[in-house]
Amino acid sequence: MTSPSQGDREKVVSKLPARLQQDLKIRTAQHGIDIQHAVEEGITAWRGLGANRSPIDTAGAKSFSTWLPSGQWEDFRKDCAARGVSIVQGLSQSVQVWLEKNPAPDVQRPVVVKRRIICNQKGGVGKTAITAGIGEALAEDSDSLHPVRISKHFAALLTENLEVSPLDYEDLPGLGQRVLLVDFDPQCHLTKQLGHEPLPIDGDSLTKHMAGEAKGALRDLIVEVTDERFGGRLHLLPACTDAFLLDVKLSGVRAREAALERALAPLEDNYDAILVDCPPSLGLSMDAAAYYGRRRPGEEPGNSGVLIVVQAEDSSADAYALLTSQIEDLRSDMGLELEYLGIVVNHYDARRGYIATSSLENWMGIKDPRVVGVIGDLKEQKEAVRVKRPLLAYAPRCDQAVAMRALAREIS
């Protein structure tokens, strides 16, 4: 069945098995092409075959429509009649031919592992939630579609009244990356929120590895964040409360700024991204984390660096100034190429009035580093923490989840 034309294309309506419709939607998104062009290519390839293919089970086929070049559908119908197959069968085989000719692309792996340091000297701004959310978004299944907020620039989040405006969503394939979340905070929030127990204080830990007191291999401490959408790609290095002693222990360590890098280096080949959830501190542990996020020789700009999490209120601005001062001192004193990945304004709620909206305006006014994400203060994140589940598994289509996916892509 054909409908009125659109330029040099005409709308066609038929049926297609739900499985093929879903596979077609995912595969075209993976290759970045329109469904209509994939169907056009599939029909052309099917018509060029010298023999019929094995029949496809079309029982329960559902309505399907697309736009094809004028005349292609009529020629296709004639070919189906000549080959003795139904229109639905011919269309199903055509889509299957295209899928076979265009297999799912491999996930792109970075040449140098991406190291993201999520930090702010102020506690309570939501560093842990941002670390977990980005990691979850990076690890989601690349053979499934997930809703992502679409925005060319985060200034588009603001209306004239500085309120977050509704944005379009788009279903995109997951990024499928292998991710390690490092809980670097002695309060162990990341560990607990993801449903795991902190490491026992009398056992091995990241602190002991950094201090040269390791009892075994660090990889033996890593646990998996389990959910089918992550497919075994999302891992956690749990924290231990002995991290409260880290600054004291580091004071006697040789080249203490490189202590975190020495500890994590043996793990890097197993991951595409390592995210470090930092404590609210400006001590030696923050120096070690920042050093780990520096740009290494030959590493592309933007591959690694510091992501600063703030809130839309005045105390975050004070903490931001202290943190950036420390980072600038490290840059200067050690000659580091330490990049800012951006600022994330977390827990934003315009209903809190002038303090929130004017503060957000000030954050948006900073151009270097720029705001790369605004995450709303909504109930789903709190609920996910309460039930000790990853946000993107607990509420994968909530506004915070789609914003986390956009943030992960923004800094990738």
Side-chain angles (χ1 to χ4, degrees):
M1 174 181 175
T2 62
S3 299
S5 62
Q6 185 184 65
D8 61 347
R9 304 181 84 85
E10 58 186 1
K11 185 177 182 180
V12 300
V13 180
S14 184
K15 290 185 176 181
L16 194 63
R19 175 187 61 80
L20 282 178
Q21 290 195 37
Q22 182 68 4
D23 289 348
L24 180 63
K25 185 177 181 181
I26 293 171
R27 195 68 54 79
T28 52
Q30 289 173 331
H31 286 281
I33 69 172
D34 293 329
I35 288 178
Q36 60 183 352
H37 292 118
V39 175
E40 175 189 345
E41 292 175 9
I43 288 176
T44 299
W46 180 81
R47 293 178 64 200
L49 296 176
N52 286 346
R53 293 170 60 92
S54 298
I56 291 175
D57 183 4
T58 60
K62 299 181 179 297
S63 178
F64 174 79
S65 64
T66 190
W67 296 85
L68 295 177
S70 296
Q72 186 186 45
W73 187 247
E74 185 59 33
D75 291 340
F76 170 69
R77 289 167 61 93
K78 292 176 181 177
D79 280 356
C80 287
R83 295 185 180 205
V85 300
S86 68
I87 298 293
V88 175
Q89 181 65 218
L91 180 60
S92 298
Q93 292 185 19
S94 298
V95 169
Q96 187 62 48
V97 167
W98 185 86
L99 290 169
E100 291 171 3
K101 287 179 174 289
N102 295 270
D106 293 332
V107 174
Q108 292 187 346
R109 307 295 181 192
V111 176
V112 179
V113 63
K114 297 175 181 288
R115 305 171 313 286
R116 278 71 192 277
I117 312 303
I118 293 85
C119 57
N120 193 330
Q121 174 265 337
K122 184 179 184 300
V125 296
K127 296 184 293 294
T128 296
I130 297 301
T131 303
I134 294 173
E136 293 162 25
L138 291 174
E140 281 187 311
D141 184 10
S142 60
D143 288 326
S144 299
L145 298 180
H146 312 276
V148 181
R149 175 177 288 166
I150 303 304
S151 175
K152 291 188 178 299
H153 193 281
F154 276 93
L157 285 167
L158 305 180
T159 66
E160 291 182 355
N161 295 321
L162 294 175
E163 295 182 356
V164 176
S165 60
L167 294 178
D168 293 333
Y169 299 148
E170 181 178 353
D171 285 334
L172 295 176
L175 298 173
Q177 295 186 12
R178 303 164 301 177
V179 180
L180 176 63
L181 304 174
V182 177
D183 192 346
F184 198 43
D185 188 341
Q187 299 173 93
C188 310
H189 290 320
L190 180 61
T191 300
K192 296 173 183 176
Q193 288 183 18
L194 292 176
H196 290 275
E197 292 297 322
L199 296 170
I201 197 165
D202 58 348
D204 212 355
S205 67
L206 177 58
T207 295
K208 291 183 174 67
H209 278 261
M210 293 177 65
E213 303 169 357
K215 300 178 180 179
L218 191 61
R219 62 173 50 87
D220 293 339
L221 305 179
I222 293 173
V223 294
E224 181 183 334
V225 180
T226 55
D227 189 90
E228 63 180 10
R229 70 178 49 244
F230 308 132
R233 292 176 296 274
L234 183 60
H235 294 165
L236 167 71
L237 177 56
C240 177
T241 54
D242 68 356
F244 280 115
L245 304 172
L246 182 57
D247 279 9
V248 174
K249 289 180 176 293
L250 285 180
S251 63
V253 171
R254 173 186 58 82
R256 56 180 178 256
E257 292 84 3
L260 181 60
E261 180 163 302
R262 288 195 297 269
L264 296 179
L267 307 175
E268 291 183 355
D269 288 344
N270 298 323
Y271 297 100
D272 302 309
I274 296 178
L275 280 65
V276 180
D277 181 25
C278 292
S281 167
L282 293 178
L284 297 178
S285 56
M286 185 59 221
D287 284 351
Y291 184 87
Y292 185 58
R294 79 196 188 287
R295 175 147 50 116
R296 296 173 178 173
E299 186 173 6
E300 292 185 0
N303 191 69
S304 299
V306 171
L307 183 68
I308 302 176
V309 182
V310 300
Q311 288 183 317
E313 40 78 35
D314 294 341
S315 61
S316 275
D318 296 336
Y320 169 82
L322 291 171
L323 175 62
T324 52
S325 176
Q326 180 177 3
I327 290 173
E328 293 307 318
D329 287 345
L330 275 172
R331 277 174 158 178
S332 175
D333 294 347
M334 302 190 68
L336 302 183
E337 290 189 75
L338 181 56
E339 299 181 58
Y340 292 105
L341 298 175
I343 299 170
V344 179
V345 182
N346 195 28
H347 297 161
Y348 179 70
D349 187 348
R351 294 173 299 179
R352 291 179 179 142
Y354 176 73
I355 294 296
T357 57
S358 61
S359 180
L360 179 58
E361 182 179 15
N362 290 336
W363 290 121
M364 298 296 290
I366 299 176
K367 303 305 181 184
D368 184 19
R370 65 186 180 89
V371 172
V372 292
V374 178
I375 310 296
D377 187 12
L378 303 172
K379 65 182 180 65
E380 286 83 1
Q381 177 65 56
K382 298 180 179 68
E383 292 172 352
V385 170
R386 173 64 62 88
V387 298
K388 295 182 173 18
R389 290 189 63 196
L391 171 66
L392 272 65
Y394 174 76
R397 302 192 71 85
C398 75
D399 283 349
Q400 288 167 319
V402 297
M404 291 293 187
R405 295 187 186 101
L407 174 59
R409 284 166 167 79
E410 186 74 14
I411 64 172
S412 290

